[in-house]
Amino acid sequence: MAVQLIRLLILYLLILVCMRLMGRRQIGELQTSELVITILLSEIAAIPLENNDTPILNSIMAVFMLTALEILLSAICVKSEKFRKLSQGNPITVIRAGTLDQGALKKTRITLDDLMEAMREKDVFDLTQVQYAILESNGKISLQLKPPKRNVTAEMLEISEPDSGMVCPVIYDGKIQYENFSLCGMDKQKLNSIVRQSGMPLKDILLLTADKKGVVTCIRKEEKP
């Protein structure tokens, strides 16, 4: 049992490091090649856990080789457009200028139900509201609504909207996030003033966020029963 636990810990840390090396896109938006690599990694990692007689070094070497292969393929994709199209495919337009392209649906083997489901996930329930719909190479569908249905922007209203920066956590669980100061125009003196005005000691603040406009949100930790 102890041997299995040690093997599990080694493989867990190894896969975790390799996934980080392959990039964050591995988690959320898998391309075909990335999905294949991820499945192979899980299968290879499972072999020494199922059989203690299998040398764990074999799996470690295979995991490193797959990771190196994925990094190499990613680098080639960046350099070569032809290889990128070959390995990842091209986006396909399934609604063009408000007209449903039934040939594209057949080519991609997407049913109307699949398309409508993807639209509903983006809060669009009426096909006639869509100007363009594109099936991306990672399997997701991007939508552009017809002009009358698009959200109004400050540019449309000819309003000059200053950049308020990103709302970012400045204090999280009682700890100051100094690395976020530059994102929201914060400094130590300003933060100390905000904390004093809140009437809460630093350790009692669960979350404090701010932006460049000076909009601050502060949430106190709940007291333990």
Side-chain angles (χ1 to χ4, degrees), residues 44-55:
I44 290 172
I47 293 174
L49 296 178
E50 295 172 352
N51 186 359
N52 288 338
D53 294 331
T54 303

Side-chain angles (χ1 to χ4, degrees), residues 51-71:
N51 186 359
N52 288 338
D53 294 331
T54 303
I56 192 172
L57 185 60
N58 292 351
S59 292
I60 292 176
M61 293 300 297
V63 168
F64 275 126
M65 288 178 63
L66 281 174
T67 303
L69 176 62
E70 170 56 26
I71 293 174

Side-chain angles (χ1 to χ4, degrees), residues 148-216:
K149 300 297 181 181
R150 295 174 192 170
N151 294 329
V152 177
T153 64
E155 183 180 8
M156 294 176 183
L157 299 176
E158 298 182 353
I159 298 174
S160 178
E161 182 70 13
D163 181 15
S164 60
M166 182 176 70
V167 177
C168 55
V170 180
I171 297 176
Y172 179 75
D173 197 16
K175 297 181 178 61
I176 299 175
Q177 310 297 306
Y178 292 104
E179 65 274 15
N180 292 335
F181 276 19
S182 60
L183 297 175
C184 53
M186 185 63 64
D187 55 45
K188 290 183 180 180
Q189 183 177 356
K190 189 184 298 185
L191 180 60
N192 290 335
S193 176
I194 292 172
V195 172
R196 283 196 302 270
Q197 291 176 10
S198 71
M200 289 182 279
L202 184 64
K203 63 181 181 62
D204 288 345
I205 297 177
L206 176 66
L207 178 66
L208 189 146
T209 63
D211 63 16
K212 289 183 178 180
K213 280 186 175 180
V215 179
V216 175

